[in-house]
């Protein structure tokens, strides 16, 4: 059930309730996620996988993940970058 491109909902932490995609599998317990969450290492017990799998390549960058989510119809807000 855990595979590259699997659409999940984060269930724990600051990003709980937000949708993300699995972009890399580290081992049996951890994956790298990206999407409406921050791109980071995540324990798979903190994810609720959905039935959808989007076609992205392994280690896809943030822009590719956002394009896949938008193509699926998931609304993505633009992040404002504040530089000092």
């Amino acid at each position: 059930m855990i595979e590259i491109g699997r659409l999940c909902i984060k269930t724990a932490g600051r990003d709980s309730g937000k949708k993300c995609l699995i972009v890399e599998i580290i081992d049996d317990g951890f994956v790298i996620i990206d999407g409406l969450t921050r791109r980071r290492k995540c324990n798979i017990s903190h994810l609720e996988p959905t039935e959808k799998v989007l076609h992205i390549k392994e280690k896809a960058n943030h822009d590719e993940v956002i394009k896949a989510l938008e193509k699926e119809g998931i609304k993505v807000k633009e992040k404002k970058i504040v530089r000092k």
Side-chain angles (χ1 to χ4, degrees):
M1 190 99 184
I2 299 299
E3 58 188 300
I4 304 297
R6 173 73 61 184
L7 182 64
C8 299
I9 299 173
K10 188 93 164 55
T11 59
R14 182 168 119 182
D15 294 327
S16 65
K18 295 183 181 177
K19 295 180 180 176
C20 61
L21 291 179
I22 296 174
V23 295
E24 183 180 347
I25 298 172
I26 298 173
D27 58 28
D28 290 339
F30 292 93
V31 295
I32 301 289
I33 60 169
D34 196 0
L36 303 179
T37 63
R38 297 169 290 156
R39 184 180 189 107
R40 63 180 309 145
K41 179 178 174 181
C42 180
N43 189 321
I44 60 170
S45 65
H46 296 168
L47 296 174
E48 181 180 324
T50 65
E51 295 178 3
K52 295 190 179 206
V53 178
L54 306 183
H55 297 286
I56 61 169
K57 63 181 182 180
E58 185 173 4
K59 299 181 183 179
N61 65 30
H62 183 71
D63 292 333
E64 293 170 349
V65 171
I66 295 302
K67 284 179 187 175
L69 289 171
E70 288 175 342
K71 187 176 179 183
E72 189 62 30
I74 298 170
K75 228 179 193 185
V76 178
K77 291 183 182 178
E78 295 227 4
K79 294 182 181 178
K80 293 183 180 178
I81 299 173
V82 177
R83 297 183 187 211
K84 294 182 180 181

